Amino acid sequence: LSVSFCHWLEMSVCDDLWNAAEKTGVLDATEKHPFLMQMLSGSLPIPTFKHYVVQDAMYLTEFASCLRMLGKRAPTPELKDRFEDFAEGAEEAEMALHRGYFDSWGIAPVIGGGDKASEGMKVDKTPTTLLYTSYMTSIVATRPFYEGVTALLPCFWVYQWVGDIMLKKREAMKAKGEYDAEGNKVYDKWIDMYGGEEFEKEVKDYKQIIEDAAKGVEEEGREKMREHMKRGCVMEYMFWDQSLKDEKFQFNIF
């Protein structure tokens, strides 16, 4: 057996998925993404961040729905409950961060039209948000369980990874006296959320679900998992990119 093949045999499923995404170059590009770097420097314009937070709120609604769909297909009652915990985490902890931003900006986004449209600011998904949410929903709804859980992994793992990187960079900047703590209050909350130990634990638990779900999966299935991981990481990059471009549909349907 070759050394590279033996190394592959020793690699965890999640490490194999990360390695596949890394080879595309998207993770290196994500680490240096201007949106994230401007958050650290405090130079990211608030309207750009507002665009992102509104879109992310819509994404999280769909993400929680996908987690519940996976929970219905989970092989054990304990795992069903864990997926409900994940869904509640997205709806409560992460959305609490978003609602805090909305309150500070004095806005009340309402997704799409409908009866409540007059109560707040009507918003629509951008093409990128619609692409990402539609993709993950289709995989969760129509593909095997192990593919469905993998389709949601990039959202968990990339955010935890980016949050950790930004947390370390922030501390290094503070040590050099280069960090504007007062000017970065808006973005510190985001960094603290995704770079924190609690979110890291959630991601660790989710990765173990991936490891368990992949047991007995043949190479063809493993390749589909890699495909979902790579595509998801690319769409995570696109998600930040869209806000820098103030992306929107050409015509407003609401």
Side-chain angles (χ1 to χ4, degrees):
L1 295 178
S2 68
V3 173
S4 60
F5 184 70
C6 289
H7 177 67
W8 179 83
L9 288 175
E10 295 171 359
M11 191 182 298
S12 71
V13 174
C14 287
D15 284 345
D16 177 52
L17 295 174
W18 189 264
N19 187 50
E22 199 166 37
K23 287 179 179 177
T24 69
V26 69
L27 295 178
D28 183 58
T30 296
E31 184 177 352
K32 302 168 186 174
H33 199 294
F35 183 96
L36 302 174
M37 294 303 97
Q38 288 175 34
M39 283 181 70
L40 267 176
S41 68
S43 61
L44 184 71
I46 290 297
T48 300
F49 188 60
K50 190 181 297 185
H51 180 284
Y52 160 78
V53 174
V54 170
Q55 290 301 312
D56 198 45
M58 289 188 278
Y59 173 90
L60 286 172
T61 299
E62 303 291 339
F63 187 69
S65 176
C66 284
L67 286 165
R68 290 195 169 95
M69 280 195 283
L70 287 171
K72 291 177 181 178
R73 299 168 60 191
T76 66
E78 293 78 16
L79 195 53
K80 290 179 188 294
D81 290 342
R82 190 67 185 99
F83 273 106
E84 180 59 29
D85 291 340
F86 284 130
E88 289 180 359
E91 289 176 333
E92 295 173 13
E94 294 187 75
M95 282 299 290
L97 176 69
H98 291 58
R99 284 190 291 270
Y101 284 129
F102 295 153
D103 290 344
S104 70
W105 295 328
I107 63 174
V110 175
I111 301 169
D115 295 337
K116 295 183 179 180
S118 62
E119 298 177 11
M121 181 183 74
K122 290 185 287 186
V123 293
D124 189 15
K125 291 185 179 76
T126 62
T128 295
T129 303
L130 183 60
L131 170 69
Y132 197 179
T133 55
S134 298
Y135 177 77
M136 68 179 183
T137 301
S138 70
I139 299 304
V140 168
T142 67
R143 302 298 300 167
F145 181 76
Y146 63 85
E147 288 190 42
V149 292
T150 306
L152 303 193
L153 178 61
C155 181
F156 277 110
W157 201 351
V158 170
Y159 267 63
Q160 184 259 318
W161 173 69
V162 162
D164 185 58
I165 288 172
M166 294 177 73
L167 197 63
K168 290 174 180 175
K169 286 186 176 181
R170 185 178 70 182
E171 293 310 305
M173 291 170 71
K174 284 181 177 179
K176 296 177 182 179
E178 299 174 351
Y179 194 75
D180 179 10
E182 184 63 30
N184 281 50
K185 280 183 178 180
V186 172
Y187 305 127
D188 275 343
K189 296 174 185 177
W190 190 95
I191 296 171
D192 289 339
M193 163 71 78
Y194 295 109
E197 293 181 2
E198 187 173 340
F199 191 69
E200 183 179 6
K201 180 183 179 302
E202 290 288 286
V203 175
K204 183 178 179 181
D205 287 352
Y206 195 83
K207 286 162 67 176
Q208 185 56 54
I209 291 173
I210 299 282
E211 298 292 334
D212 295 339
K215 289 177 181 176
V217 174
E218 301 292 338
E219 176 56 22
E220 183 179 358
R222 290 286 296 276
E223 187 56 36
K224 291 299 293 183
M225 294 173 73
R226 295 184 195 105
E227 178 185 325
H228 298 319
M229 180 66 177
K230 289 184 286 187
R231 198 179 300 280
C233 288
V234 169
M235 286 191 280
E236 289 294 339
Y237 180 92
M238 291 169 62
F239 205 90
W240 286 305
D241 219 42
Q242 67 167 336
S243 292
L244 287 178
K245 300 172 181 175
D246 192 28
E247 181 184 292
K248 59 176 67 70
F249 276 104
Q250 186 174 0
F251 301 98
N252 185 4
I253 65 171
F254 297 114

